[in-house]
Amino acid sequence: MLCQRKSVFKRGFAKQVRTRPRHPGLLVHAQASGLGARFLKEEITPRTGNRSQYFAPSGVYPCRDGKGIVITCPSDKFFANLCRALEVDWVADARFAKIAARLAHQDELDALLAARCGDFARDDLLLRLIAADVLAAPIHEIP
């Protein structure tokens, strides 16, 4: 937990209120590549939307039930875990074997991943991915 939290109850819902950062340096770490490029080299980091400029896949994918899931694979280990969880052999494909190759073929990989995610209901897929040590999270909607 990056911040100390205090629960506040209102209308039956617990609200988390941040009181003060425990490790303020960690909050900057997630932005360090973009901030470092901006302040140290005066470079503007390109906008990538849900994608990463450093690894692939990373994005939001539609599931069979119309709900979305976020999946990101910042290393070859996580990509191999994803392939095992989805029961696909994309690791053996030279276009996707390494991070640099996946970045070069992001559009193709995203299309394949979106199609495969479409075979699952979001909550079922999420459980499968978490069990396989894949970085994934559900997209929630506010009614």
Side-chain angles (χ1 to χ4, degrees):
M1 182 185 313
L2 295 177
C3 297
Q4 292 178 344
R5 296 179 187 263
K6 167 171 66 171
S7 291
V8 176
F9 291 91
K10 184 175 182 180
R11 295 187 191 146
F13 294 98
K15 218 176 170 182
Q16 296 294 315
V17 178
R18 291 186 182 134
T19 55
R20 69 182 171 89
R22 263 195 212 164
H23 306 287
L26 292 176
L27 298 174
V28 174
H29 177 73
Q31 298 295 325
S33 59
L35 292 173
R38 175 70 176 115
F39 294 118
L40 298 176
K41 296 182 179 180
E42 296 185 6
E43 295 175 358
I44 303 294
T45 303
R47 293 180 183 199
T48 59
N50 291 318
R51 287 181 167 179
S52 167
Q53 69 184 71
Y54 304 108
F55 53 83
S58 183
V60 176
Y61 303 93
C63 296
R64 180 179 63 214
D65 53 10
K67 297 177 181 178
I69 191 167
V70 176
I71 299 172
T72 188
C73 297
S75 71
D76 292 333
K77 172 193 129 178
F78 288 110
F79 185 68
N81 293 350
L82 174 68
C83 291
R84 275 192 297 281
L86 295 179
E87 299 174 351
V88 293
D89 196 23
W90 298 334
V91 171
D93 187 324
R95 297 172 300 167
F96 311 132
K98 294 290 179 189
I99 290 174
R102 290 194 296 277
L103 279 170
H105 302 313
Q106 261 184 109
D107 293 335
E108 298 160 72
L109 180 56
D110 276 346
L112 288 169
L113 186 51
R116 187 65 178 129
C117 288
D119 294 336
F120 299 91
R122 193 228 16 231
D123 293 343
D124 295 338
L125 178 57
L126 184 61
L127 291 174
R128 178 186 281 248
L129 295 177
I130 289 171
D133 192 27
V134 175
L135 303 176
I139 299 291
H140 294 290
E141 295 182 14
I142 298 173

